Amino acid sequence: MDSIIFDLDGTLWDSVDSIKVSWNNVIQANNQIREELTREDLEGVMGLQMDDIAKKLFPALEDEVRSKILNECFEVENTYIEKHGGIPYKNVENVLKELSKKYKLFIVSNCQEGYIEAFYKYHGLEKYFNDFENPGRTGLSKGENIQLIIKRNQLSNPVYVGDTDGDLKAARFAGIPFVYAKYGFGEVSEYDEVIEEFEDLLTLY
């Protein structure tokens, strides 16, 4: 193994409360949405592609309106997270520091452009990662973005660490082993390795 590619939400941190505050700020200013989002609502869409998130959270809206509101939510979210951050899982920085001594580290997340950068900026973790990718920047699926990272960085034996069935499918699509972060938001049907908490990666690798 020469590298580890990470999902972000539910794998490296929990940003749901920050997302909830920022998205509800947008919803409060829009009279087409009556109910504010709950933490449970957002946990239920973690790991989905952006269009699927919009359809699930705002099913009654026309596509054009839904897309406009989603883009507003993403813009406010990036600004909020850059200032307030999220909650990294236990010992994330220490584990990343140790892993980065042995492996190249990457992030591939189903997020908008600017989200990973906001994560880096608030928590100061960019120094441990070699590269990142997301559909907001490429328009590609998570599996395709994993393949892009592999090709761009000439990786020969990477693994993908994530917490949802979508992460499993993306790793299978890219043809690399999947490590299930069981402490995250989702449940998966199969995996190659499993970690109960983030620091288990140190004993796994």
Side-chain angles (χ1 to χ4, degrees):
M1 190 178 83
D2 66 338
S3 52
I4 304 174
I5 308 171
F6 293 96
D7 171 50
L8 182 47
D9 296 325
T11 300
L12 294 174
W13 74 344
D14 179 346
S15 63
V16 173
D17 290 335
S18 290
I19 294 172
K20 180 166 70 76
V21 170
S22 58
W23 284 39
N24 281 334
N25 284 339
V26 175
I27 288 172
Q28 289 164 7
N30 191 295
N31 57 16
Q32 293 179 279
I33 305 174
R34 296 183 179 181
E35 295 185 5
E36 294 186 7
L37 297 172
T38 65
R39 181 180 174 90
E40 185 178 7
D41 291 331
L42 291 167
E43 286 181 348
V45 299
M46 285 293 172
L48 297 180
Q49 293 277 50
M50 292 181 284
D51 286 346
D52 293 329
I53 290 174
K55 289 175 182 177
K56 189 168 183 179
L57 293 180
F58 311 123
L61 299 180
E62 297 290 335
D63 288 347
E64 186 176 338
V65 176
R66 187 190 293 133
S67 179
K68 182 176 181 294
I69 290 174
L70 188 67
N71 286 334
E72 290 177 5
C73 286
F74 285 152
E75 185 176 340
V76 173
E77 175 187 320
N78 284 350
T79 301
Y80 188 90
I81 284 179
E82 191 174 292
K83 294 179 180 178
H84 301 277
I87 304 173
Y89 289 114
K90 182 182 176 184
N91 288 334
V92 158
E93 180 163 12
N94 290 336
V95 173
L96 290 174
K97 183 178 180 180
E98 290 304 309
L99 290 174
S100 67
K101 295 175 182 178
K102 298 169 63 178
Y103 309 106
K104 293 179 179 180
L105 306 182
F106 305 88
I107 295 176
V108 172
S109 174
N110 272 345
C111 62
Q112 70 276 18
E113 189 170 7
Y115 183 77
I116 296 174
E117 295 93 323
F119 163 74
Y120 282 160
K121 185 168 184 178
Y122 185 84
H123 294 286
L125 298 176
E126 183 175 7
K127 58 192 172 185
Y128 301 115
F129 294 95
N130 296 81
D131 197 0
F132 69 89
E133 204 49 270
N134 60 73
R137 188 160 71 173
T138 67
L140 301 174
S141 70
K142 180 172 279 189
E144 290 169 322
N145 279 324
I146 291 173
Q147 288 183 328
L148 183 61
I149 284 288
I150 292 171
K151 182 177 180 181
R152 190 160 70 204
N153 293 277
Q154 300 180 321
L155 308 181
S156 60
N157 191 22
V159 301
Y160 188 72
V161 183
D163 66 305
T164 67
D165 188 62
D167 294 331
L168 165 65
K169 291 175 180 176
R172 294 290 184 254
F173 179 90
I176 64 174
F178 175 67
V179 180
Y180 173 38
K182 195 173 182 179
Y183 53 83
F185 298 121
E187 296 183 3
V188 304
S189 56
E190 60 178 278
Y191 48 80
D192 298 293
E193 301 285 354
V194 60
I195 53 174
E196 298 283 345
E197 53 187 354
F198 191 74
E199 59 188 355
D200 289 348
L201 285 171
L202 293 179
T203 55
L204 191 62
Y205 298 113

